[in-house]
């Protein structure tokens, strides 16, 4: 077992940090970027493509860079450190991941090629009003056969849905199961809006909208489940980056903010709470690194288990660290102009994208009788 | 010890319920129930209707509109307001500046301000905090220099206040100002009433992390304040502030409102509660903690002597805000993926409460920071109750 990055991974981290970390090193830039549509910086997106970051998880045949989950996790952590608004998680990891897993040769080459080159934004339209992180669809239904299908119903909230050039849509199949389809968003009814953390989501209505099955078609529930698990683990990496910076910003605030004629770190009770935040962070980093490694070579069952465990720990830690970060900053932590509240807002969004801690607690509790102990080296 | 409300108190409660649910416009109470941001007009309307019925300032001296209620009756009043989704009377008026003027103001000040304050004809803002004076309020630096010349006796005020809640609506602001820089910091502070339309007063909005604009910076540049606007004695402001902050802490445990949101949350969760034992367990834990808190509030209000805040009111502030925050967190979780959709507008297929859930959760982080942060409450418990 080895938790360290090799030279190439280190170089990737430095390159991404150089690009994205620099772009958003001044929090005001991030604020201005999320204030205007599309909510991220298209130039930065192109630069990420040039760097090869957008194609990391995809094979070279499909126009990607042929790297793997560790490299993707590195990018996610860097994005998290500056809470960059670029839709990497939803477009590359989630939607792109599904195409890589289930698309036909032509679809992969076309869709992933354009995605890796930064020419096209991809979105996965899956959540439905009332749905709760299930790998299935019910409110959007598909009808048709062969290559000629149509979709009807509403998906909401769809991350990056209003800006997307291509949609991957889940829909209930006539004979049961959930299928995946490729849809041109021009034929849908889209309304975009900001999410709490400055991201973008959309309501997307389908009304007999033409759709092409992704790959061979048919029930894709297990593909979706694994795609969501992958996104969970990468989202947890993004959260680790955000938590690390939240903690350091808080520690440094405690050493500079003066009240009662002394800096706040004079009060032991506050230092102890910062120390507890550090403990939360380190435990989370360990479980998230482990889950990322499971993603490299685990079976889909092992990935599912690791994803739930990482998500549970990350959810608990991100609430702990986010809430404490604001509290220890006092009033300034509540303001939009100062960064720390936006970190907490982003952590809250990440927590609710693919299943919060309690969701995963429930999943794990349902399986607790299946094993005597949990062995990470198993 | 006995449990039931006396027939008189039960009748009293019924009377309040009827008034609150029939007199306050339904649309205002709906807005509260749906956790929408209230407009100034809605707050003013509700406050005036309460005042008409004698329910805006029942805790003031009877001479100025108080009702001479028992502490238990005051508690019932506070709970019933929240239960009926009535916006609480504007706290700056009814709990802060009003009682201070009634207790320490001159006869002229009482006549000039108290009726208008009770009826929200004047909207008051609280100008205590400054950028470098938060928890350490006594280190405030805004100065008020006493000047007397042919144009009269007055204070000239210079400095900056911050975190002024709803200052954009404020007609007047009550401020703590430094009037003697050369003594121990608590001993050189005075309590001054300032008309916010006076030249030299500037209000600038601060955006919070939920996207709202409820707090402001207020700047004072050579603001001329008539000497008669000093409350009580010069350099005694700290005593009045302590009196005010003591009042602020009474009724700070928003038990009624939190219970109401928790009950709504159960409705919003629908079948999930039956399907998910973890969710059910969270409801039970929160309900039980709220029960313990409500009973503590009752115990404290039944035992508080001559209107002075019970020392255990810190328990109410601390636990009350923690539970308020915990319930808002539960609502975010119930909202599921819809919790991220804070910007969803009219055409959305998501429920309004889902879209509101995360902004409400983020906004309520403030509850453990202001009004004496929860760390400060712990310090009070440790020091004044436990003698540590
Ligand atoms: C939304 C909002 C609305 C507000 N409205 C008003 C208003 O209308 N009028 C007004 O005058 N003020 C208002 N306030 C200001 C509020 O009272 C202050 O924010 C509060 O007193 C804390 O001060 P601070 O923000 O400077 O934090 P700091 O005092 O800098 O505290 C930072 C952190 O350190 C902790 N801390 C500080 N000192 C100690 C200590 N000795 N021991 C242990 N922990 C300590 C604090 O609890 C906090 O966690 C408002 C604040 C907010 C956030």
């Amino acid at each position: 077992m080895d938790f360290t990055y090799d030279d190439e991974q280190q170089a990737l981290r430095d390159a991404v940090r150089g690009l994205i970390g620099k772009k958003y090193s001044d929090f005001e830039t991030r604020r201005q970027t999320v204030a205007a549509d599309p909510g991220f910086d298209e130039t930065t997106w192109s630069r990420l493509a040039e760097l090869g970051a957008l194609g990391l998880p995809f094979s070279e045949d499909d126009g990607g860079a042929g790297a793997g989950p560790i490299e993707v996790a590195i990018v996610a952590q860097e994005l998290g450190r500056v809470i960059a608004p670029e839709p990497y998680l939803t477009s590359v990891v989630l939607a792109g991941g599904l195409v890589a897993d289930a698309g036909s040769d032509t679809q992969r080459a076309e869709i992933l090629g354009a995605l890796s080159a930064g020419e096209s934004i991809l979105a996965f339209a899956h959540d439905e009003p009332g749905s709760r992180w299930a790998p299935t669809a019910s409110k959007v239904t598909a009808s048709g056969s062969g290559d000629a299908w149509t979709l009807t119903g509403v998906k909401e909230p769809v991350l990056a849905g209003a800006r997307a050039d291509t949609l991957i849509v889940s829909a209930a199949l006539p004979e049961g199961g959930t299928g995946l389809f490729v849809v041109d968003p021009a034929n849908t009814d889209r309304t975009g809006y900001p999410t709490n953390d400055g991201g973008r989501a959309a309501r997307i209505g389908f009304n007999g909208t033409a759709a092409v099955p992704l790959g061979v078609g048919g029930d894709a529930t297990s593909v979706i489940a694994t795609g969501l698990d992958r996104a969970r683990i990468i989202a947890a990496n993004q959260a680790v980056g955000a938590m690390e910076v939240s903690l350091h910003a808080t520690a440094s605030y405690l050493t500079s903010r003066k009240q009662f004629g002394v800096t706040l770190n004079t009060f032991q009770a506050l230092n102890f709470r910062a120390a507890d935040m550090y403990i939360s962070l380190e435990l989370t980093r360990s479980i998230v690194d482990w889950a990322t490694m499971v993603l490299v070579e685990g079976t889909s069952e092992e990935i599912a288990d690791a994803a739930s465990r990482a998500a549970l720990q990350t959810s608990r830690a991100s609430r702990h660290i986010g809430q404490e970060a604001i509290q220890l900053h006092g009033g300034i932590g509540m303001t939009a102009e100062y960064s720390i509240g936006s970190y907490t807002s982003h952590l809250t969004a990440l927590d609710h994208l693919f299943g919060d801690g309690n969701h995963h607690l429930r999943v794990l509790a349902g399986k607790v009788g299946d094993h005597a102990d949990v062995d990470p080296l198993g | 010890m006995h449990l039931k409300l006396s027939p008189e108190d039960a009748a009293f409660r019924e009377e309040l319920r009827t008034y609150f649910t029939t007199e306050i416009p339904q649309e205002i109470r709906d807005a509260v129930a749906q956790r929408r941001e209230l407009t100034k007009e809605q707050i003013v309307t509700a406050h005036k209707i309460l005042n008409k019925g004698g329910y805006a300032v029942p805790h003031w001296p009877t001479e100025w509109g108080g009702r001479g209620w028992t502490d238990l009756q005051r508690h019932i009043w506070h709970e019933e307001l929240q239960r009926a989704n009535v916006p609480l009377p504007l706290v700056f008026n009814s709990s802060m500046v009003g009682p201070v003027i009634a207790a320490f103001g001159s006869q002229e000040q009482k006549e000039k301000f108290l009726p208008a304050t009770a009826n929200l004809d004047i909207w008051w803002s609280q100008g205590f905090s400054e950028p470098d004076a938060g928890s350490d309020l006594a280190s405030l630096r805004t100065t008020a220099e006493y000047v007397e010349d042919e144009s009269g006796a007055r204070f000239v005020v210079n400095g900056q206040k911050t975190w002024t809640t709803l200052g954009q609506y404020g007609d007047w602001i009550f401020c703590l100002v430094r009037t003697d820089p050369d003594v121990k910091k608590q001993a050189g502070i005075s309590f001054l009433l300032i008309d916010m339309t006076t030249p030299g007063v500037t209000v600038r909005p601060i955006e919070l992390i939920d996207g709202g604009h409820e707090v402001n910076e207020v700047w004072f540049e050579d603001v001329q304040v008539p000497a008669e606007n000093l409350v009580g004695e010069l350099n005694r402001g700290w005593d009045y502030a302590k009196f005010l902050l003591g009042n602020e802490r009474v009724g700070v445990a928003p038990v009624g409102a939190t219970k109401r949101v928790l009950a709504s949350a159960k409705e919003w969760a629908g079948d999930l509660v039956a399907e998910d034992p973890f969710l059910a367990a969270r409801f039970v834990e929160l309900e039980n903690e709220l029960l313990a808190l409500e009973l503590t509030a009752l115990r404290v209000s039944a035992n508080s002597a001559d209107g002075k805040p019970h020392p255990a009111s810190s328990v109410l502030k601390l636990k009350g805000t923690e539970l308020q925050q915990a319930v808002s967190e539960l609502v975010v979780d119930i909202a599921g993926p819809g919790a991220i959709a804070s910007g969803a507008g009219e055409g959305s297929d998501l429920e309004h409460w889902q879209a509101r859930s995360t902004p409400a959760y983020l906004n309520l982080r403030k509850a453990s920071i202001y009004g004496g942060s929860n760390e400060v409450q712990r310090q009070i418990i440790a020091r004044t109750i436990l003698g540590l």
Side-chain angles (χ1 to χ4, degrees):
Chain A
M1 243 195 159
D2 181 4
F3 281 79
T4 56
Y5 296 145
D6 63 28
D7 289 349
E8 242 176 276
Q9 290 165 341
Q10 200 102 33
L12 173 68
R13 192 190 67 177
D14 294 347
V16 176
R17 190 172 292 185
L19 169 61
I20 212 105
K22 208 163 132 216
K23 165 76 188 169
Y24 295 113
S25 64
D26 174 11
F27 182 65
E28 190 52 31
T29 308
R30 196 249 182 206
R31 275 195 83 197
Q32 283 167 10
T33 307
V34 302
D37 277 334
F40 65 93
D41 182 46
E42 303 265 10
T43 315
T44 301
W45 189 252
S46 306
R47 294 252 170 82
L48 280 168
E50 284 161 25
L51 208 72
L54 303 187
L56 280 177
F58 313 125
S59 77
E60 290 176 13
D61 288 347
D62 297 338
I70 313 279
E71 286 73 20
V72 173
I74 288 171
V75 176
Q77 288 195 17
E78 293 308 314
L79 293 165
R81 288 174 63 86
V82 290
I83 50 172
E86 279 64 33
Y88 189 78
L89 184 62
T90 50
S91 199
V92 174
V93 179
L94 182 57
L98 293 172
V99 175
D101 285 352
S104 65
D105 291 351
T106 340
Q107 283 171 332
R108 290 203 317 271
E110 263 177 30
I111 300 173
L112 299 180
L115 176 64
S116 305
E119 290 155 6
S120 161
I121 301 275
L122 204 55
F124 180 36
H126 176 61
D127 285 328
E128 298 172 344
S131 72
R132 295 183 68 78
W133 307 302
T136 51
S138 63
K139 296 227 170 90
V140 169
T141 54
S143 54
S145 64
D147 265 357
W149 287 78
T150 59
L151 305 183
T152 299
V154 171
K155 290 289 188 181
E156 185 178 4
V158 180
L159 286 154
R163 168 63 184 79
D165 304 289
T166 303
L167 296 175
I168 307 300
V169 188
S170 62
L173 298 171
E175 67 277 18
T178 296
L180 285 172
F181 296 87
V182 184
V183 173
D184 179 354
N187 305 326
T188 65
D189 172 20
R190 296 197 276 183
T191 319
Y193 50 76
T195 58
N196 64 272
D197 62 336
R200 290 296 186 280
R203 173 197 183 277
I204 303 187
F206 303 86
N207 190 2
T209 307
V212 177
L214 184 68
V216 293
D219 185 17
T221 306
S222 65
V223 174
I224 297 172
T226 300
L228 289 173
D229 286 333
R230 185 188 302 119
R232 284 172 179 128
I233 294 171
I234 302 304
N237 275 281
Q238 200 159 311
V240 165
M243 285 189 276
E244 183 183 345
V245 173
S246 297
L247 169 63
H248 288 142
T250 304
S252 107
Y253 192 76
L254 291 177
T255 59
S256 61
R257 170 70 172 171
K258 277 190 166 175
Q259 290 285 280
F260 305 98
V262 293
T263 51
L264 291 178
N265 67 332
T266 314
F267 304 115
Q268 190 188 42
L270 302 184
N271 293 346
F272 279 12
R273 284 164 65 175
D276 285 340
M277 291 164 73
Y278 176 74
I279 291 166
S280 277
L281 171 66
E282 286 307 311
L283 295 178
T284 308
R285 190 195 298 286
S286 305
I287 206 166
V288 169
D289 280 354
W290 164 75
T292 309
M293 291 187 264
V294 173
L295 204 46
V296 179
E297 30 195 336
T299 63
S300 56
E301 252 166 63
E302 287 164 347
I303 291 173
D305 185 68
S308 281
R309 293 185 188 282
L312 171 57
Q313 170 67 25
T314 305
S315 173
R316 298 289 189 254
S318 56
R319 290 175 198 216
H320 172 213
I321 291 175
Q323 292 173 2
E324 288 288 71
I326 293 180
Q327 183 68 23
L328 297 185
H329 275 81
I332 193 87
M334 291 293 300
T335 64
E337 208 166 316
Y338 191 82
S339 66
I340 204 76
S342 295
Y343 277 85
T344 303
S345 185
H346 184 57
L347 288 169
T348 309
L350 285 176
D351 192 11
H352 291 88
L353 290 185
F354 311 122
D356 65 5
N358 300 303
H359 172 83
H360 292 289
L361 178 65
R362 189 179 320 123
V363 169
L364 291 167
K367 303 190 286 193
V368 75
D370 299 352
H371 53 265
D373 65 352
V374 179
D375 179 5
L377 304 178
Chain B
M1 288 178 87
H2 61 100
L3 185 61
K4 279 228 155 18
L5 287 182
S6 69
E8 298 77 50
D9 285 333
F12 170 82
R13 183 166 74 172
E14 208 42 51
E15 180 190 311
L16 295 182
R17 265 187 202 173
T18 309
Y19 191 85
F20 296 162
T21 53
T22 55
E23 297 293 323
I24 306 289
Q26 185 69 37
E27 54 163 37
I28 295 182
R29 299 197 296 119
D30 285 346
V32 174
Q34 292 160 9
R35 309 166 104 199
R36 290 179 194 267
E37 223 170 277
L38 297 181
T39 64
K40 177 182 183 182
E41 285 64 40
Q42 288 174 319
I43 297 172
V44 173
T45 303
H47 188 117
K48 283 190 194 301
I49 295 171
L50 289 177
N51 194 42
K52 198 172 81 192
Y55 299 126
V57 294
H59 48 294
W60 287 14
T62 39
E63 213 193 325
W64 298 108
R67 302 288 300 272
W69 288 344
T70 62
D71 286 318
L72 179 60
Q73 287 176 315
R74 279 180 59 182
H75 175 84
I76 293 172
W77 163 74
H78 204 250
E79 292 301 298
E80 290 303 321
L81 282 168
Q82 296 174 78
R83 182 198 290 268
N85 290 312
V86 177
L88 294 182
L90 189 68
V91 61
F92 308 112
N93 286 40
S94 79
S95 304
M96 297 187 179
V97 75
V100 168
I101 295 177
F104 308 105
S106 66
Q107 187 59 25
E108 293 75 48
Q109 285 171 340
K110 289 178 190 172
E111 283 164 19
K112 177 173 175 189
F113 290 115
L114 289 181
T117 299
N119 200 40
L120 196 44
D121 297 328
I122 297 176
W123 182 300
W124 286 95
S125 292
Q126 180 192 20
F128 281 15
S129 304
E130 298 183 9
D132 290 327
S135 298
D136 180 18
L137 187 54
S139 59
L140 60 93
R141 285 205 292 251
T142 296
T143 57
E145 204 186 327
Y146 184 74
V147 188
E148 213 178 320
D149 57 21
E150 55 281 2
S151 45
R154 60 193 191 277
F155 292 93
V156 181
V157 179
N158 279 289
Q160 181 199 353
K161 295 290 172 183
T162 190
W163 309 123
T164 314
T165 298
L166 302 180
Q168 67 268 41
Y169 303 148
D171 302 307
W172 282 72
I173 183 166
F174 55 95
C175 289
L176 292 179
V177 290
R178 185 152 306 284
T179 36
D180 186 347
D182 300 324
V183 291
K184 184 172 161 263
K185 55 187 184 174
Q186 285 84 355
I189 292 171
S190 298
F191 196 106
L192 205 55
L193 309 178
I194 303 178
D195 181 341
M196 292 178 78
T197 60
T198 319
V201 179
T202 313
V203 178
R204 288 186 202 149
I206 299 174
E207 187 188 346
L208 293 188
I209 49 175
D210 62 340
H213 274 136
E214 68 184 43
V215 294
N216 303 271
E217 296 175 342
V218 181
W219 297 75
F220 300 93
E221 271 172 282
D222 289 330
V223 177
Q224 314 280 318
V225 180
E228 74 230 29
N229 290 358
L230 174 75
V231 175
E233 292 170 41
L234 193 69
N235 295 328
R236 290 283 307 277
W238 190 249
D239 295 335
Y240 313 146
K242 277 198 300 195
F243 170 87
L244 176 153
L245 293 171
N247 282 328
E248 189 184 14
R249 239 163 262 142
V250 177
V252 284
V255 181
T258 306
K259 273 169 72 177
R260 183 176 47 64
V261 178
L262 192 60
S264 301
K266 217 184 259 181
E267 216 174 277
W268 295 330
D271 296 341
L272 279 181
V273 186
E275 289 162 12
D276 180 356
F278 292 106
L279 185 62
R282 273 175 94 192
F283 271 103
V284 174
E285 297 265 16
L286 288 167
E287 284 178 344
N288 231 39
E289 286 201 79
L290 273 165
L291 172 66
L293 182 67
E294 181 173 8
L295 291 168
T296 307
L298 281 165
R299 238 175 82 216
V300 168
S301 70
N303 293 334
S304 82
D306 57 34
K308 278 218 190 96
H310 191 283
S313 63
S314 283
V315 175
L316 302 181
K317 159 75 180 32
L318 198 150
K319 200 66 205 174
T321 53
E322 282 184 359
L323 289 174
Q324 191 181 20
Q325 292 173 336
V327 169
S328 76
E329 192 172 336
L330 175 69
V331 175
V332 179
D333 294 341
I334 292 170
I340 62 171
S342 65
E346 287 310 317
S348 169
D349 278 38
L350 300 170
E351 306 276 353
H352 184 75
W353 66 266
Q354 289 184 292
R356 286 295 306 153
S357 63
T358 304
Y361 162 74
L362 292 170
N363 182 274
L364 277 174
R365 305 315 313 166
K366 71 188 179 188
S368 51
I369 295 171
Y370 65 27
S373 74
N374 283 10
E375 289 71 38
V376 169
Q377 305 305 330
R378 286 191 177 87
Q379 186 78 313
I380 293 173
I381 292 171
R383 211 175 263 167
T384 65
I385 304 179
L386 302 179
L388 298 172

